[in-house]
Amino acid sequence: MTTQNRPFLDLTRNAFVRQKGEFTLYGTWCNAADDQTEPCLVILPAFRRDGAKPCCIALSSAFKYNDARYLVRKSHHFLQEMGMEPGMTTTHALATLIYDHLQDLIEMPPEPTAAIVVGEADLTMGDGRRRKVEILEHGQLPN
């Protein structure tokens, strides 16, 4: 599938989801150029608002958030994009959330893109029916 047919973000595929106060943080992958994906943090209001835009911090720009001035400016901007009031308390809470999870972003694995069968099981249902199931794990496609 080419990048033209894929959305930039798919929050159903994620490495982790954490709710921290009034924010929900996703560790996921965004679609970059040349059909490649890149780890990213995505932040949304925990209680969805109409018109809220997800805020995305890609691995390639994570180093910028180590500068406190940049982090505060972007946190203020992200709050406005999410339709939230960018006061000192919420700006500080968002900036802390971002800074505290930069290491998680750095440690994220590449996006798993292939389903690999890692096991099979024969199940017997309560009514006597038998069913065979496969246990799948998503793994990176070989280059």
Side-chain angles (χ1 to χ4, degrees):
M1 183 187 300
T2 64
T3 20
Q4 294 175 357
N5 299 332
R6 294 190 321 191
F8 180 71
L9 290 173
D10 180 1
L11 297 180
T12 62
R13 295 183 52 87
N14 55 66
F16 59 85
V17 179
R18 299 181 183 131
Q19 184 168 345
K20 301 284 185 172
E22 53 191 311
F23 303 105
T24 303
L25 175 75
Y26 296 83
T28 188
W29 300 270
C30 59
N31 292 315
D34 301 327
D35 250 358
Q36 299 295 314
T37 60
E38 179 178 12
C40 66
L41 295 176
V42 175
I43 303 163
L44 283 166
F47 311 103
R48 299 282 171 105
R49 293 172 164 79
D50 288 338
K53 296 177 184 173
C55 299
C56 181
I57 301 166
L59 179 61
S60 60
S61 66
F63 71 95
K64 296 177 184 179
Y65 294 85
N66 203 32
D67 175 14
R69 290 174 296 192
Y70 184 83
L71 177 62
V72 170
R73 272 195 316 271
K74 290 305 279 186
S75 296
H76 185 271
H77 174 75
F78 285 162
L79 287 167
Q80 290 175 327
E81 292 295 314
M82 288 189 284
M84 299 176 74
E85 185 62 38
M88 287 180 62
T89 305
T90 51
T91 302
H92 179 265
L94 181 58
T96 302
L97 177 72
I98 292 169
Y99 188 79
D100 288 349
H101 288 87
L102 288 177
Q103 188 66 36
D104 294 333
L105 174 60
I106 292 167
E107 293 173 353
M108 273 183 58
E111 180 182 21
T113 55
I116 302 167
V117 178
V118 293
E120 293 181 353
D122 290 318
L123 302 174
T124 305
M125 305 298 169
D127 60 1
R129 290 184 300 147
R130 296 187 61 123
R131 174 175 268 166
K132 186 173 188 168
V133 295
E134 292 180 338
I135 301 168
L136 301 176
E137 182 173 296
H138 286 86
Q140 193 67 22
L141 286 173
N143 292 333

